Amino acid sequence: LGCSRFWYLCSTWMYAFLSEFYPCCLLVHPIVQLLESAYRFFSCSNLGGSACLCSFYCIKIANFRNRFFIYLKVKIDRMVPWLLLGSVVLSLIIGILVYNTVDKAVGKNLNFTCQESLQKATIGIEEHFFPLYFLTGFLYTTSFIAVIFSAVFLLFSLWRHKHKMQTNSTSSLSMEAHIRAMKSILSFFIMYSINFMFLILTLIYSLKHQNHVIFLGYTIQ
């Protein structure tokens, strides 16, 4: 997760820097193809990995007596590696599709000037890119929903456990540890929500050619 997040940020800033200050460099094959593909791959794997690990921590730490939840608690150790692998494979498929889409759009516009080529390539990408936007947005939304449910269930379980400790007069150190855990989960949930919101905004505004808004979205992410 740390590696995917690091390279996601690197590819994001590299693409934003080149598109703002050296746009002609993006027409050199295969720079723009690789940057777009890497950005989509690492963003999807980052969100998918976050969702899998949030679900894992929720199931391992939370304490509910539901039969299905107990079944998941027993099986989760075997399920998580496959979920992470599935997330990486799906991200890789999206990255390959993005590479092919961008390559076709850029390849049709090599006889124009730098600015014309970039504009026509962008339009060509968007004509072919709508299914990929839908797929990427679906993956973002699914990951975000998994994080929401994991955070809510875990916060509820910790709050209920803290309430039981208060009635049983348990030591203040254990109570403080639970409160600290709840604060950590809540802060992560807020940061993840902001990141998800601006991911969706960058997807929307990239269809409207508003590069400054996209650059602002990258900065906040």
Side-chain angles (χ1 to χ4, degrees):
L1 181 60
C3 289
S4 66
R5 183 65 180 167
F6 174 78
W7 289 111
Y8 163 70
L9 290 173
C10 288
S11 61
T12 299
W13 279 101
M14 181 69 72
Y15 184 81
F17 179 79
L18 290 176
S19 62
E20 285 292 320
F21 301 107
Y22 300 101
C24 289
C25 292
L26 295 177
L27 295 178
V28 179
H29 189 276
I31 291 179
V32 68
Q33 292 91 330
L34 289 175
L35 285 175
E36 281 280 1
S37 178
Y39 168 73
R40 296 299 173 191
F41 170 74
F42 288 118
S43 64
C44 291
S45 61
N46 171 46
L47 287 173
S50 298
C52 291
L53 291 176
C54 282
S55 303
F56 172 73
Y57 291 136
C58 174
I59 293 171
K60 293 292 283 188
I61 296 172
N63 189 17
F64 296 103
R65 295 182 178 179
N66 184 275
R67 288 184 179 180
F68 181 68
F69 193 84
I70 294 172
Y71 173 80
L72 287 178
K73 191 182 284 285
V74 174
K75 299 290 185 179
I76 192 66
D77 289 333
R78 296 180 181 179
M79 292 169 60
V80 166
W82 290 106
L83 289 173
L84 288 172
L85 180 62
S87 173
V88 172
V89 170
L90 183 59
S91 302
L92 185 62
I93 292 171
I94 291 175
I96 293 171
L97 292 174
V98 168
Y99 184 95
N100 291 331
T101 302
V102 176
D103 191 50
K104 289 178 182 178
V106 173
K108 294 178 180 179
N109 301 287
L110 295 178
N111 296 325
F112 297 93
T113 63
C114 175
Q115 195 64 33
E116 288 175 342
S117 295
L118 282 175
Q119 290 175 353
K120 290 179 179 295
T122 304
I123 294 171
I125 290 169
E126 290 165 6
E127 288 175 352
H128 300 90
F129 217 54
F130 184 76
L132 289 177
Y133 271 108
F134 178 79
L135 182 60
T136 306
F138 176 76
L139 183 61
Y140 289 170
T141 306
T142 304
S143 302
F144 184 62
I145 290 172
V147 170
I148 287 176
F149 279 102
S150 300
V152 168
F153 282 134
L154 195 50
L155 282 170
F156 178 73
S157 178
L158 287 172
W159 176 81
R160 191 177 63 176
H161 195 60
K162 183 178 79 72
H163 183 69
K164 286 182 179 179
M165 288 191 298
Q166 283 178 333
T167 56
N168 295 331
S169 300
T170 313
S171 65
S172 59
L173 287 175
S174 181
M175 187 86 65
E176 184 180 347
H178 276 74
I179 293 173
R180 196 176 301 164
M182 292 170 69
K183 288 180 179 179
S184 299
I185 295 166
L186 191 60
S187 63
F188 172 78
F189 174 70
I190 293 171
M191 292 171 65
Y192 198 97
S193 300
I194 294 171
N195 185 44
F196 171 78
M197 181 175 66
F198 280 94
L199 272 172
I200 297 299
L201 286 177
T202 52
L203 280 176
I204 293 171
Y205 280 103
S206 62
L207 294 172
K208 298 180 180 180
H209 308 287
Q210 299 188 19
N211 291 331
H212 296 295
V213 179
I214 297 171
F215 189 79
L216 178 64
Y218 286 154
T219 305
I220 294 172
Q221 286 178 49

